[in-house]
Amino acid sequence: MKHESDDADFADFAGARWGRLLRIAFMLTGDFHEAEDLVQVTLIKVCDHWRRIPDGEVDLYVRRALINNYRSRLRKRRVVQFLTSLVPERPDSGHTETVEHRIALAQALNSLSSRQRAAVILRYWDDMSEQQTAEILGCSPNTVKVHTRRALAALRTHPALATYAPILTGETR
């Protein structure tokens, strides 16, 4: 039987993490509305198990559920992926990222497999360790390294990112 305090705890958690989960989901799906659906479905499923999730593992559990729901949707082919250049957060006022940069990155991310994309997003955008990423993806840290290495190699050679090759490879002109 659920207690009111459990419901309040879950509501507080969901409210506090909504924006971050939405940005992760957007980077995975490339569609703002699909990202919202993905986060909502994930939080509904997490709510059903809220009392059984250990306190120290809530963030890990929710990210794992988000990635699993994303991958499940791809397997079921209910979703057509179309990554766009719109990001659901505004850059800092000093940030000079252009629309062309976002379009190029979205095209390149779209070319990756779902596991590669998830590994890159969790490792470099969500700033997670290899171990944390492995726990979320349900694989070993070495598998995360392989997915990340292959994804970065694909991104370095992707035509949409050709103008950024010196930045990605560390070369100087």
Side-chain angles (χ1 to χ4, degrees), residues 41-138:
V41 167
T42 299
L43 289 176
I44 288 169
K45 290 180 179 181
V46 167
C47 184
D48 292 340
H49 302 282
W50 184 250
R51 292 185 63 199
R52 294 183 296 219
I53 303 170
D55 288 339
E57 297 178 17
V58 173
D59 284 321
L60 174 71
Y61 185 93
V62 172
R63 284 189 179 97
R64 182 183 301 139
L66 184 72
I67 297 293
N68 288 342
N69 284 332
Y70 161 70
R71 295 183 66 228
S72 176
R73 286 173 163 229
L74 287 180
R75 281 192 300 271
K76 293 177 183 176
R77 298 192 189 272
R78 291 177 23 194
V79 176
V80 174
Q81 285 196 328
F82 178 71
L83 297 179
T84 66
S85 61
L86 302 173
V87 179
E89 82 177 15
R90 296 188 184 236
D92 297 333
S93 59
H95 196 59
T96 60
E97 183 174 83
T98 64
V99 173
E100 292 82 18
H101 293 132
R102 291 188 304 237
I103 291 171
L105 182 58
Q107 289 172 347
L109 284 173
N110 193 32
S111 70
L112 300 175
S113 72
S114 63
R115 288 188 65 84
Q116 288 175 345
R117 188 177 316 134
V120 167
I121 290 169
L122 290 172
R123 286 280 293 127
Y124 299 107
W125 187 84
D126 208 21
D127 200 27
M128 300 191 104
S129 69
E130 289 168 351
Q131 182 64 39
Q132 292 169 319
T133 302
E135 289 176 26
I136 290 171
L137 295 178

Side-chain angles (χ1 to χ4, degrees), residues 139-156:
C139 62
S140 72
N142 286 336
T143 302
V144 170
K145 290 177 188 178
V146 169
H147 286 311
T148 304
R149 187 184 71 237
R150 289 179 181 166
L152 292 176
L155 291 174
R156 284 184 189 106

